[in-house]
Amino acid sequence: MNLKERFSNIPNNLDAVNIGSGPSFFDFDWSAVPEISGYNMAVAPEDFRYDSRIIMHYGNHLKVGGVVVVVVVCPLSFGRNEYLYKDTFSEKYIPILPHEAVDLPKWKYLLYKDFPIVLRGKDFSLRVVRGLYRRLDTIFGRKKQDILNPMEELLKSWISDNAYLNDLKDSTQAEYYRDVFREKKNDLKKVIANCLVQELRPIIVIPPMSRKLRGYISDGFIKSFVYDNLQSIVDGGTPLLDYLDDKRYNDENCYTNGLFLTLEKRKDYTKTVWEDIKRVI
């Protein structure tokens, strides 16, 4: 089901939804909690800017008092992540958000909205070029043994998308991101505010990751890039459920790439999260 279909078929009177990026999209399956009505509103990838706009425009599908699971991804939900500011990132929201909620020139938004075949053609061309590049890179570039596995690709993309970042160990790198942190914290506060104004209950959730992936990230880095940025929001009364080092979900077999849970594990995890939500609300 594509993005437009997913957001055109959201049920009403929902008890809970999850929003956020890849780990939110891949970690939740509300069918595992049949006693409630839940829906996955996550978009992969996504950032707090669009989380706030999604919940503002689609929060009316929840009951008053409904729960919004706001997923904060360790380690870089508060990082710069350069790809987030390219037009290609915002273009996917054209079918589901009004033009004032999409960070694109109005002419481009209207062109793609009125003539979606142009955007589909553009996407197809990009996929062809990327596929050809990967094929040529495999044949003429990297040797087979040098091709990165999904976890290594994930780590490489995190670092390459964030200028001034050399690794996920050195917490002093946070000094280069102070302005970015302020921007991201303000965006997250808008997510919370857009929940509260609709009488919804936001819950911040930090999802788990595999033991191996976690080993690439120091405690100091996580404190500087994640927990310190969440402190004022949690102090303001928004509950936090933290599964980052949860031993129930740290085995490699729970994941497809160290970060996204498998189909079976996401059911178990969703049930766990809902039980914990009932405890904190």
Side-chain angles (χ1 to χ4, degrees):
M1 188 182 297
N2 64 35
L3 194 61
K4 184 177 181 180
E5 291 172 335
R6 283 179 58 214
F7 279 81
S8 297
N9 291 284
I10 300 174
N12 291 316
N13 295 314
L14 291 167
D15 296 292
V17 299
N18 58 289
I19 58 175
S21 189
S24 185
F25 181 78
F26 289 105
D27 286 2
F28 284 86
D29 181 352
W30 293 104
S31 68
V33 193
E35 64 268 26
I36 67 164
S37 177
Y39 200 80
N40 190 325
M41 287 190 186
V43 179
E46 186 156 273
D47 64 355
F48 297 141
R49 284 178 305 160
Y50 282 102
D51 284 343
S52 68
R53 298 168 194 181
I54 290 288
I55 205 61
M56 176 56 74
H57 286 89
Y58 292 95
N60 60 326
H61 289 275
L62 285 99
K63 299 173 181 175
V64 171
V67 171
V68 179
V69 175
V70 182
V71 173
V72 172
V73 182
C74 175
L76 290 171
S77 270
F78 294 95
R80 173 68 182 172
N81 302 308
E82 296 295 337
Y83 68 89
L84 299 172
Y85 302 93
K86 296 178 179 178
D87 282 2
T88 49
F89 173 77
S90 290
E91 285 167 1
K92 66 175 178 282
Y93 294 97
I94 292 172
I96 65 170
L97 290 173
H99 71 84
E100 63 270 14
V102 180
D103 293 337
L104 289 171
K106 188 173 181 179
W107 69 265
K108 181 176 283 191
Y109 176 95
L110 294 175
L111 174 65
Y112 291 159
K113 182 80 169 180
D114 294 339
F115 302 99
I117 191 171
V118 176
L119 185 56
R120 288 198 294 270
K122 177 174 175 285
D123 289 343
F124 176 75
S125 299
L126 284 171
R127 287 196 298 271
V128 170
V129 170
R130 288 168 182 162
L132 179 60
Y133 173 81
R134 286 193 296 270
R135 180 64 177 160
L136 292 174
D137 191 42
T138 300
I139 296 172
F140 299 109
R142 294 174 293 177
K143 297 178 181 178
K144 185 174 181 180
Q145 62 266 30
D146 294 330
I147 296 174
L148 302 179
N149 64 39
M151 185 184 299
E152 291 170 332
E153 289 282 7
L154 182 63
L155 291 162
K156 180 182 177 182
S157 67
W158 280 343
I159 292 172
S160 64
D161 283 332
N162 286 270
Y164 309 112
L165 203 63
N166 298 311
D167 57 38
L168 302 176
K169 298 282 191 180
D170 182 3
S171 63
T172 66
Q173 295 173 107
E175 292 301 319
Y176 298 103
Y177 291 88
R178 295 304 173 193
D179 290 341
V180 176
F181 289 165
R182 279 192 289 272
E183 174 191 330
K184 300 292 184 177
K185 283 189 285 188
N186 286 334
D187 288 341
L188 180 54
K189 288 175 181 176
K190 289 177 185 175
V191 178
I192 304 303
N194 285 349
C195 292
L196 297 178
V197 77
Q198 298 178 83
E199 300 183 76
L200 305 175
R201 292 183 285 189
I203 309 284
I204 294 174
V205 169
I206 299 177
M209 63 173 60
S210 74
R211 186 187 303 110
K212 183 176 180 180
L213 181 58
R214 176 68 172 85
Y216 287 95
I217 314 168
S218 73
D219 291 346
F221 188 97
I222 294 170
K223 181 180 183 300
S224 296
F225 276 78
V226 182
Y227 294 128
D228 287 354
N229 290 313
L230 284 174
Q231 193 62 55
S232 63
I233 296 167
V234 174
D235 288 345
T238 304
L240 168 65
L241 296 175
D242 185 358
Y243 301 94
L244 182 61
D245 292 313
D246 193 313
K247 290 182 172 57
R248 292 171 293 182
Y249 304 104
N250 66 3
D251 190 271
E252 294 304 307
N253 293 329
C254 296
Y255 299 88
T256 59
N257 62 353
L259 188 64
F260 301 160
L261 290 169
T262 62
L263 286 169
E264 188 57 38
K265 271 298 173 181
R266 70 185 63 166
K267 290 178 181 291
D268 177 72
Y269 177 66
T270 306
K271 287 190 285 188
T272 297
V273 172
W274 183 248
E275 287 302 313
D276 290 340
I277 287 172
K278 289 192 293 184
R279 177 175 51 82
V280 301
I281 60 174

